[in-house]
Amino acid sequence: MRIPLTSGAYQARSLIAGAQRCVNLYPEVNPQDSQAPVPVTHYQRPGLAQVAQSPTIARVRALYTASNGSLYACVGAAIYAINSDFAFTLLGSIAFGVNPVSFADNGQAIVIVDGTSSGYAIKMSDNTFGAISSAYFYGADRCDYIDTYFIFNKPGTTVWYISLSNADFAMLTGGSAFDSLDFAAKTGWSDPLLAVIAVHNEVWLIGSKSTEVWVNDAQADFTFSR
């Protein structure tokens, strides 16, 4: 007998009410006008088979697939490039920690932040690694990319800021990728920012208690408004 699964797994505090468990499956609701024989399709997800072992035995703080398809990882303090055979190549090191690390790229360079005032960059053409250098780079908990600009939050504050347009590796590591006036602040509430997230042409400012959405108003210049 074929039993149609109508939703995702749900386990209630009382097993009488609900005691479902869904392992390695992702439920997707089918459109009502489709010819699907069931209302919900469950797609298989990757399992737990080990395909590689990092040379560094430490917490994996990030895995990142760049826009060119290359895979990178931060394990402990080590930054690795991982090829299609899952071989690890050490590119450099950042400050050791346990907090998550964030990657973003613009097709030329990858930026890396770790929640401190430091930042790092990778040249995508040859995987050259270096530290971001600028008096106007303040670190970030999370970085992202929108409309040719990298965006960052300044840790512990309501401030967020951007790089110059199309900043490459030489600009990022040479101190010319940031301008002192390219910053703004979340003003709707005073809670500090935890992350900045690019969604289409919007920047979502995620705070510890509130969230603001800013929209890019100008195509020729980077001008955002709440």
Side-chain angles (χ1 to χ4, degrees), residues 108-178:
Q108 303 178 75
I110 299 171
V111 295
I112 306 169
V113 296
D114 61 354
T116 71
S117 59
S118 299
Y120 311 86
I122 299 171
K123 187 177 181 181
M124 296 177 67
S125 61
D126 60 8
N127 282 339
T128 302
F129 179 86
I132 295 176
S133 174
S134 174
Y136 310 116
F137 176 77
Y138 311 109
D141 298 291
R142 190 181 188 279
C143 56
D144 214 328
Y145 171 77
I146 183 172
D147 292 340
T148 75
Y149 301 87
F150 289 114
I151 58 176
F152 309 86
N153 73 294
K154 184 177 180 180
T157 74
T158 60
V159 173
W160 64 287
Y161 62 103
I162 65 171
S163 70
L164 297 181
S165 177
N166 293 312
D168 60 17
F169 179 81
M171 294 170 63
L172 289 163
T173 57
S176 61
F178 296 88

Side-chain angles (χ1 to χ4, degrees), residues 69-87:
S70 298
L71 180 63
Y72 298 87
C74 176
V75 185
I79 301 295
Y80 291 103
I82 306 173
N83 68 16
S84 57
D85 295 323
F86 298 103

Side-chain angles (χ1 to χ4, degrees), residues 146-147 151 197-204 213-216 224:
I146 183 172
D147 292 340
I151 58 176
I197 301 175
V199 182
H200 303 299
N201 70 326
E202 299 173 344
V203 173
W204 286 60
V213 180
W214 290 49
V215 180
N216 193 357
F224 273 76

